[in-house]
Every structure is written in C-alpha cells, then in structure tokens.
Amino acid sequence: MTKVRRGKLYTKIRLLVRGTPPRGKYTLARRLLQITMLVLFSIQLLISGAILEGSLASSRILHTIPLMDVFAWLEHAAATHSPTLESVIAVLIVFVIYSVLGRFFCGWVCPMDLLFSLFERKLSTPRSPRFTRPHHAGPVEKAIPGIMMLVYLALSVALGRPFFTTISPVAGLTKLGSMLVGVLYNIPDATIGLVMAWSTITGVALIANIVAEYVFGVKRFWCRYVCPIGNIYGYIMNRYSPLRVKVTRVEKCIGCNICSMVCPMSIDILKYVRDGRDVIDYRCFHCGRCVEACPHGVLRLGFRLGSGGPGRGGSAPRQQGP
C-alpha cells in the first residue's frame, strides 16, 4: 500500500471514529468574538459609557469613533441622496479595515454565523446535493448576489429609506439583544413589540437558511445569495486582502478532501491546494475550519501579500485524490 493510500485510509478511520473534525483555536476565537460583540451591543442601554452603541449596521465606539457598514452606507446614500461627512468617515474606516481582513466580518463578527452554525450540517460529502457539497462557483451563482444588491439599492431609492439595512437580521440580532435587556430593566423605548419584530426578522432568516439546506440542498443560502454585507466584502476585498487561507505545504496533501467537506460555504478548497494557490474565493470568510480540520497541516490562516498563485505554496501533490 502506497503512502498516499495509507494516509487516506488513516483519515477515513479517524473520521469514522471521531466524527466531524473537532473545532480548534479559530472556532473558539470566532465564537468568543461574536458573543462579546452581542454582549457589548446588548448592554449599551445599561452603561452610559458603553463601548459600542448602535448596531452592526451603524455604530459608534466610546461615543467617538463612527463606524458604518459599506452596504448600509450605499443604501443610505441611495435613499437620501445626501450622505453626511460623518457617514463618509464612518464607512471609510470600515472599508479600510476589511480591505486588510477581507470577508472577515461574516466569520468572526456577524452573529448570524453563530446562529446558522447551530442548525446546519457540519460535514458535506461528494453525495450531498450540488450546492451543499464543495464546488466551484459558476457564473450564475456569482451573479445572483450582485443582482440582489442592485434590487436592494433600487428599493432604497423607491422607498426613500435603506431597504435591506432596515430589515437586516445581522443588525437586527444586535438590536434584539439590546431590546431584551431594555425590557428586563424597564428602560424607556425598549418594548415587547420591538423584541417581537426583531425576533421575527431573525427567525425568518434562520428558517430560510434551514429550509434551503435540508429541502433544496443549498448550504448557507442566506449568506451566499441574500445578504449583501458579506458579499460586497467578498467581491471587492477577498481577492486582494492580505488575510487569507494560505496553502503552505502542498507536498503533504493526500487528497482526503476534509478541508472542503468542513467548509461552511461549500468552497472546493482542495482545488486551491492542488493548484498551489491561496484561497481567495469571494465566498471565503476566513473562519479557519479547513485549517483546523486538515490532518496534515497543509493550510494556514494568516497574512500574505500578492496573489498567492502557483509556486507560493510549494509543488503540487503527485497523486490527485478524489
């Protein structure tokens, strides 16, 4: 038996015995950050010197530093036709941050990732439905998020108010936490009606995601097609941001495909490994699951300038596994 076949057999036995590859330091760090962000937004009504005020659409740090999501700013500008200087500064700060970090927001900050992960399949297989198993995004799949963004902007212009930002469960979940705390402490402007409204919006997104995966075989439907926040970061910034999943030890790859199977966005990670290229797919939100799951340390999550093309990660593996 060759070394590659022995490696694949070992990997299959390991999966059979241990189940889904265990979580590692990246998953722990992501969950801690997501929960911390939720807590900070939730207690903003209780503390006069709150660290974070507002929501994930538009917020302020320590009453001083304004932050505004890129797509929220675009919708606001489209709806009001009069962006303020402060909003321009706020969106530029966020733009610079994610120019460095890419689609980091979706995997490390957005609370919907935490919620979605509780109800989704943790492991995809080659027998899974087409858009659940790892695959390369085709032109139609790539075009849908862009079309949705244009629809949201057009509705913002027609309605005279930011459309998606108003109903976004991303911002809504942080508002829900704040309203729940406000109701518990009987704080003015925090009402059961607002709690129910934000709960409904969050629940709709969760149900849509669950139905899409378990009925129609589309994994992370909301993140990939509906939500423009992460897609605008992925389209514009992932290709050039220095933070990425790096392919560093291609010669160690045995083609077991676990890296692709654990990817929550169904990216064909193995193809990047075989090409010796860093993962710059617009869907990647740098969660690090592929890095944690790889049994041979082929991948790393870190910073690297340049395209990360062939030759950056070493020589391609000799045998092409399934």
Side-chain angles (χ1 to χ4, degrees):
M1 185 181 294
T2 67
K3 182 178 179 180
V4 172
R5 288 184 178 179
R6 284 199 303 271
K8 289 182 180 179
L9 179 61
Y10 161 75
T11 300
K12 288 180 179 179
I13 293 174
R14 182 170 177 263
L15 272 179
L16 181 64
V17 173
R18 300 185 64 180
T20 303
R23 269 64 179 161
K25 61 181 181 181
Y26 295 120
T27 298
L28 176 61
R30 290 193 302 118
R31 298 307 180 222
L32 284 175
L33 181 57
Q34 289 165 340
I35 292 172
T36 299
M37 295 293 287
L38 271 175
V39 170
L40 289 176
F41 278 116
S42 296
I43 63 175
Q44 62 181 302
L45 297 179
L46 297 178
I47 305 173
S48 58
I51 297 175
L52 281 175
E53 298 174 293
S55 71
L56 283 174
S58 178
S59 58
R60 192 178 292 273
I61 301 176
L62 298 174
H63 299 291
T64 305
I65 304 173
L67 301 173
M68 193 170 189
D69 169 64
V70 175
F71 194 78
W73 183 85
L74 289 173
E75 280 199 316
H76 183 268
T80 64
H81 311 293
S82 56
T84 63
L85 177 60
E86 184 180 38
S87 73
V88 172
I89 294 172
V91 76
L92 283 177
I93 293 173
V94 172
F95 186 86
V96 169
I97 292 172
Y98 291 114
S99 293
V100 176
L101 300 179
R103 197 172 175 170
F104 178 91
F105 174 85
C106 299
W108 291 76
V109 180
C110 180
M112 296 305 292
D113 170 68
L114 174 61
L115 188 61
F116 289 155
S117 67
L118 296 175
F119 297 92
E120 68 185 6
R121 292 188 181 97
K122 299 300 185 292
L123 202 65
S124 299
T125 69
R127 294 183 180 180
S128 299
R130 169 75 174 86
F131 292 104
T132 300
R133 67 175 182 262
H135 66 282
H136 179 71
V140 174
E141 183 175 353
K142 290 180 179 178
I144 291 176
I147 294 171
M148 295 300 294
M149 291 182 207
L150 293 176
V151 170
Y152 298 145
L153 290 174
L155 287 172
S156 298
V157 173
L159 299 174
R161 61 182 302 175
F163 176 74
F164 182 82
T165 303
T166 302
I167 63 169
S168 168
V170 177
L173 198 52
T174 53
K175 292 178 181 178
L176 173 60
S178 179
M179 288 299 104
L180 280 172
V181 171
V183 169
L184 289 174
Y185 284 86
N186 197 28
I187 296 175
D189 299 327
T191 66
I192 294 294
L194 286 174
V195 170
M196 294 298 294
W198 292 120
S199 297
T200 301
I201 290 172
T202 304
V204 167
L206 177 61
I207 292 171
N209 215 60
I210 293 172
V211 171
E213 180 173 0
Y214 288 93
V215 178
F216 299 102
V218 181
K219 196 168 187 177
R220 283 297 176 106
F221 168 80
W222 189 272
C223 305
R224 284 161 60 182
Y225 300 112
V226 180
C227 181
I229 301 171
N231 281 310
I232 199 167
Y233 295 143
Y235 275 131
I236 297 174
M237 300 160 184
N238 259 18
R239 188 172 184 83
Y240 304 104
S241 68
L243 180 64
R244 77 268 305 266
V245 174
K246 302 184 293 184
V247 177
T248 58
R249 303 170 65 189
V250 183
E251 71 281 356
K252 297 289 186 179
C253 180
I254 61 170
C256 64
N257 208 25
I258 293 180
C259 55
S260 302
M261 292 162 64
V262 299
C263 177
M265 296 293 276
S266 303
I267 301 170
D268 188 357
I269 306 292
L270 183 58
K271 185 180 188 321
Y272 281 94
V273 174
R274 287 172 172 170
D275 293 342
R277 297 187 298 124
D278 295 343
V279 181
I280 56 174
D281 193 293
Y282 77 95
R283 295 169 291 175
C284 179
F285 49 63
H286 311 317
C287 66
R289 279 299 290 137
C290 55
V291 179
E292 294 173 339
C294 178
H296 302 288
V298 176
L299 304 167
R300 291 285 185 274
L301 179 63
F303 293 90
R304 175 149 66 191
L305 297 174
S307 62
R312 294 298 298 270
S315 57
R318 294 181 180 178
Q319 177 154 338
Q320 306 296 313

